[in-house]
Amino acid sequence: FALTTLAMLRALERPSGRRDALAVVLLAALVFTRVQFVVLGAAWVAIVLVVERRRAGGWRAALRGVRRRHPATAACVALAAAGLVALLALGVLTGRLRDLAGPYYNIGRRDDVPGNFGLGLTWELEMLALGVGLLPAVLAAAWYGRALGRRAEEPGTFRFAAVTLTLVGALFAGTLWAQGGWLDFRSEERYFIYAVPLLWIGAVAAVERRDVPVRWIAGCAVALALVLFTLPIAVQNTGEQVFLGPVSMSAAHVLPRLEGTASDLTGLKGLLSGRDIAGLACLLLAAGAAAAWRRGPRVRALALVPAVALQLFLAAYAFSGVYGKLEGIGGLTVDVPFADLGWIDRATPGDPRLPLLDNQSEDRDALQRNSIFWNDEVTWVYRLEPLRLKEPEWPVFTLDKSFSGLTRELGLTLPLPEYALTAVDSPLWQVEGETVRASPDGRLALVRPSRPWRAAWVAYGIEADGQVLRRIDLAARRGQRVTIEVAAPIVDDQVAGVRVDFAGRAQELRFGPGHPERRTLSYDLCGGTGAQFGRMEITAGAHVGNNRFSGARLARVHLERC
């Protein structure tokens, strides 16, 4: 990204076919590293057109200038237009666009973009300011604003500010656009790596230069403080949030603690919220910088010391969350050897291309993503449609393969390959087979499915997290012992209950005050052949969020051959 930005600046400063070709090649390489960068191609074409329009004074002359001074860019635009026409003529864009684009298909369907798209961009700016440091963000905003206003006096500075802001703005706007708008208080801070160095360049330039007025700094500080005062910082501190938004995770974790400390010191509970503290910190840091602004660059640089210290503290806090060192946050990175992460590839001989069975009731998508990321042999995610499971929040689009249908004897309608990856003791559904190897943490297993392909256990209609929201139909193959662990749907003072009728036994299970939080049911199905059927019905529901009421949570089903 840095090389591409520099090449674009050089191609605009001293236009030539060679420099333009270098910018285009680096841009193409950038797109191959991350598909979101394709939006920078459109941004680059727009920049070239605007620059040539200003130089030539008209659009016709500008187009001639593009062909002469930026031949590689003009050739790529022509090829893209020809390819679009060809795809339209072949009917690909109307018939197979969804298949080709996958989850990015919604880029062309703007009905899915919610009205809080602008709010999402503001959230990103707020998190970016917290991540880079409040004072550096204020100084950078003031310098960039000043640079954009001095096009005639300093064309090089104006060019740098205009190009970098256009590229970063296009990247963030395009990313949120592709994702359908705001991610509901989950920011995309992993992309801040491209913006943070440019902000620090602006902050350092503001310290070195003498032409950034104090009023500009004050204005930017007030604007940022207003955002901090008004925009809520509310996220769920999960491993997914640690990955997507370490800044917002840190802010959401530390600001309530600062609020509690402020309440204890002042004796006025609720006087200052965490957002108020962040906004006041922004104003105080900017006031200190304004007081030192007329005392020379060395004194101005000293004003950055508390801002840098705050930034380092926030970075350390974020890394603590990533490594699971903060109370209440599971973290994302664990000290696991690479051999353990790639245990599936190491356990599978040859090139089997095995599927991952989508039968994990807790943290299932994190397990799926990690298994797919670290193991090349995992090719598909198999979902069993009759279960009507709730889709995971972050589905693995590219590897999805649903299959429907189980025979009365629990035979699978889709042939399984020689090996399959499955959750151990899954309460959702389990395939019959021989365990070849278990994962290092014991949560997954590599199995060799039986022939013919059959399910050993199925809970029809259960939720993906194991909650029993409706009648659940149970089925298990005979010739095995079945141990079912049923847990309370939620740990508080709510009352819940289910009736389990399976293998000729009917049992009432109650959860809540005065009742155990977990019950174990054992069934001996060693006699006979075929399948044993039963059901689980709600007798009392407890609220488990999202307008869901559950009678229990099916936590674990252990199968043992007779």
Side-chain angles (χ1 to χ4, degrees):
F1 178 80
L3 289 173
T4 304
T5 304
L6 181 60
M8 289 178 176
L9 289 169
R10 293 292 289 168
L12 295 174
E13 180 184 5
R14 299 176 61 185
S16 71
R18 179 173 57 86
R19 292 189 179 90
D20 182 60
L22 178 60
V24 170
V25 169
L26 287 173
L27 179 59
L30 189 61
V31 172
F32 276 107
T33 65
R34 198 172 204 101
V35 70
Q36 283 93 326
F37 283 116
V38 72
V39 300
L40 298 191
W44 170 240
V45 172
I47 290 171
V48 169
L49 287 174
V50 170
V51 169
E52 290 299 322
R53 170 68 172 77
R54 288 184 176 275
R55 185 191 63 81
W59 286 113
R60 183 172 298 179
L63 293 177
R64 290 196 298 268
V66 170
R67 290 196 301 269
R68 186 175 65 255
R69 295 152 62 90
H70 300 277
T73 298
C76 288
V77 172
L79 286 175
L84 180 62
V85 172
L87 292 175
L88 285 172
L90 294 173
V92 172
L93 291 184
T94 56
R96 295 190 56 236
L97 181 59
R98 182 183 293 274
D99 296 334
L100 292 173
Y104 290 96
Y105 176 75
N106 284 337
I107 297 176
R109 291 179 54 83
R110 302 323 315 148
D111 292 340
D112 294 335
V113 176
N116 57 14
F117 179 74
L119 187 61
L121 285 176
T122 307
W123 168 273
E124 298 294 341
L125 291 175
E126 180 185 26
M127 294 302 107
L128 179 59
L130 286 171
V132 77
L134 295 175
L135 183 57
V138 168
L139 296 179
W143 183 83
Y144 275 102
R146 184 70 170 174
L148 292 177
R150 298 178 66 85
R151 180 168 60 90
E153 297 90 342
E154 299 183 29
T157 301
F158 169 82
R159 185 185 304 112
F160 173 83
V163 170
T164 54
L165 288 178
T166 300
L167 294 180
V168 171
L171 175 61
F172 278 89
T175 300
L176 265 70
W177 187 276
Q179 291 168 340
W182 201 11
L183 293 177
D184 187 22
F185 293 104
R186 285 186 297 268
S187 65
E188 286 286 9
E189 296 156 26
R190 50 185 169 162
Y191 300 119
F192 285 1
I193 188 175
Y194 308 110
V196 168
L198 299 175
L199 283 180
W200 272 103
I201 288 173
V204 173
V207 171
E208 291 181 342
R209 302 291 296 269
R210 299 180 179 180
D211 57 353
V212 179
V214 174
R215 66 179 183 276
W216 281 68
I217 298 173
C220 293
V222 170
L224 178 56
L226 286 175
V227 173
L228 293 169
F229 284 138
T230 56
L231 198 63
I233 302 175
V235 298
Q236 294 180 349
N237 290 321
T238 62
E240 186 70 37
Q241 178 63 33
V242 168
F243 169 66
L244 289 175
V247 177
S248 51
M249 179 278 299
S250 301
H253 200 257
V254 75
L255 288 180
R257 287 157 176 77
L258 292 178
E259 180 180 347
T261 302
S263 299
D264 294 339
L265 292 176
T266 60
L268 299 174
K269 187 176 182 180
L271 177 64
L272 293 174
S273 68
R275 302 204 312 267
D276 295 334
I277 295 173
L280 291 174
C282 176
L283 294 177
L284 290 175
L285 289 170
W293 209 245
R294 294 185 177 88
R295 299 178 181 270
R298 292 186 179 179
V299 179
R300 292 199 294 269
L302 289 176
L304 284 175
V305 172
V308 172
L310 182 61
Q311 160 68 8
L312 293 176
F313 167 76
L314 192 61
Y317 208 88
F319 274 107
S320 298
V322 170
Y323 282 93
K325 305 299 183 182
L326 300 180
E327 181 183 358
I329 299 179
L332 190 68
T333 302
V334 293
D335 297 326
V336 177
F338 284 111
D340 288 347
L341 292 171
W343 69 275
I344 302 171
D345 285 353
R346 294 173 178 270
T348 52
D351 188 22
R353 299 301 182 197
L354 56 92
L356 187 153
L357 306 183
D358 189 17
N359 62 345
Q360 304 165 52
S361 62
E362 296 183 71
D363 301 327
R364 68 190 193 127
D365 194 59
L367 281 172
Q368 288 176 3
R369 182 168 47 240
N370 289 336
S371 300
I372 293 167
F373 184 84
W374 293 107
N375 297 274
D376 291 334
E377 303 299 347
V378 181
T379 310
W380 298 102
V381 173
Y382 281 10
R383 292 191 172 96
L384 189 59
E385 288 182 345
L387 297 180
R388 296 185 299 277
L389 298 177
K390 181 182 65 176
E391 285 298 316
E393 190 172 5
W394 302 93
V396 187
F397 292 99
T398 55
L399 301 178
D400 185 24
K401 175 181 272 192
S402 297
F403 64 98
S404 61
L406 284 168
T407 67
R408 181 68 178 173
E409 300 302 319
L410 299 186
L412 298 177
T413 59
L414 179 72
L416 294 176
E418 183 180 0
Y419 299 99
L421 189 65
T422 182
V424 174
D425 296 344
S426 169
L428 308 184
W429 65 285
Q430 297 182 39
V431 66
E432 188 176 58
E434 173 191 357
T435 298
V436 177
R437 180 178 174 183
S439 63
D441 60 5
R443 301 176 67 183
L444 298 175
L446 185 68
V447 299
R448 183 180 288 109
S450 63
R451 298 293 190 273
W453 303 277
R454 297 180 297 198
W457 164 266
V458 179
Y460 293 94
I462 196 171
E463 292 287 289
D465 55 0
Q467 298 290 352
V468 180
L469 308 185
R470 62 189 72 83
R471 168 177 164 164
I472 303 300
D473 293 322
L474 310 177
R477 283 198 60 77
R478 302 195 64 86
Q480 58 188 356
R481 297 180 178 89
V482 180
T483 302
I484 303 175
E485 290 189 7
V486 187
I490 192 167
V491 182
D492 59 11
D493 58 353
Q494 297 185 66
V495 176
V498 292
R499 174 185 171 88
V500 183
D501 190 350
F502 188 68
R505 288 162 47 195
Q507 295 173 270
E508 295 278 350
L509 306 182
R510 301 288 287 183
F511 301 98
H515 298 281
E517 294 184 1
R518 187 176 292 259
R519 299 286 298 275
T520 301
L521 309 177
S522 299
Y523 302 93
D524 190 330
L525 306 182
C526 290
T529 60
Q532 175 69 55
F533 297 92
R535 62 183 180 273
M536 184 179 295
E537 297 178 301
I538 300 177
T539 57
H543 187 245
V544 292
N546 297 326
N547 199 28
R548 300 192 307 162
F549 292 85
S550 173
R553 182 173 63 86
L554 203 56
R556 175 176 175 267
V557 174
H558 178 70
L559 306 177
E560 182 182 357
R561 291 184 179 179
C562 296

